[in-house]
Amino acid sequence: PRIWFKKEREKDIKATRDFMELIPKAFPNYKVLYRFKDFRDQKDFPHIKTIYGEIEDLLSSSSVVVSIFSTVILQAAIMGIPVAKLDYNRIEKNPDFLWNIYSKKELIPTVNHMLHAKAKELEKQKLIVNDIIDFVDAPALPRLVEFIEDILR
């Protein structure tokens, strides 16, 4: 569970709204899917249809993943999908990834770069994620271990 200060929550909502405003228009040939962690997160976006299902299935059909820091970023990166952390708050305890989005002006160029990521960049992303996994907080660690074990089966 995460405790948000009001200011932090407002920036996360703004970051999500900026993404929803810009990305579908900038990349019309891609289907943009939204998945909120739970109903509390989705209530701020009642007009957006969210997808449900097993995260592994949803990720396997994704070209890129952009998310406020969560386990899904680590899961996608482990699968070799380019990931970006959407973090207008610049929360120091959240680790940096290869791609990080700290402002509205960075959204389109970052997603565009990720869509054209080179193998060398994905290898670098994997190294970064391996380092991050060493510092994953206790509540997320069992989910991540289970996810990795499912991939290996």
Side-chain angles (χ1 to χ4, degrees), residues 94-113:
N94 289 345
D96 281 335
F97 286 79
L98 184 57
W99 292 285
N100 301 280
I101 301 170
Y102 298 118
S103 68
K104 185 175 183 175
K105 70 178 182 180
E106 296 173 350
L107 276 163
I108 293 172
T110 303
V111 171
N112 188 54
H113 189 138

Side-chain angles (χ1 to χ4, degrees), residues 3 21 52 54 56 62 64 69 72 78 90 95 101 133 151:
I3 299 173
E21 171 195 337
Y52 299 96
E54 291 299 318
E56 294 85 0
S62 299
V64 300
F69 185 70
V72 74
I78 289 167
R90 292 184 180 242
I101 301 170
I133 289 172
I151 288 175

Side-chain angles (χ1 to χ4, degrees), residues 40-54:
R40 289 171 297 171
D41 294 330
Q42 188 178 355
K43 72 179 174 54
D44 294 308
F45 306 96
H47 63 290
I48 296 297
K49 183 177 183 222
T50 188
I51 58 170
Y52 299 96
E54 291 299 318

Side-chain angles (χ1 to χ4, degrees), residues 12-13 46 60 120 143:
D12 284 347
I13 291 170
S60 67
K120 190 175 185 179
R143 285 194 314 270

Side-chain angles (χ1 to χ4, degrees), residues 79-144:
M79 293 175 71
I81 300 166
V83 300
K85 177 183 68 172
L86 185 60
D87 186 11
Y88 283 16
N89 289 299
R90 292 184 180 242
I91 299 171
E92 288 184 29
K93 71 176 185 130
N94 289 345
D96 281 335
F97 286 79
L98 184 57
W99 292 285
N100 301 280
I101 301 170
Y102 298 118
S103 68
K104 185 175 183 175
K105 70 178 182 180
E106 296 173 350
L107 276 163
I108 293 172
T110 303
V111 171
N112 188 54
H113 189 138
M114 292 166 55
L115 287 169
H116 301 95
K118 306 214 179 324
K120 190 175 185 179
E121 291 172 310
L122 294 175
E123 280 302 313
K124 185 174 181 182
Q125 173 181 268
K126 190 181 287 187
L127 293 173
I128 291 169
V129 169
N130 287 339
D131 288 342
I132 291 170
I133 289 172
D134 291 339
F135 298 100
V136 172
D137 63 340
L141 191 56
R143 285 194 314 270
L144 195 56

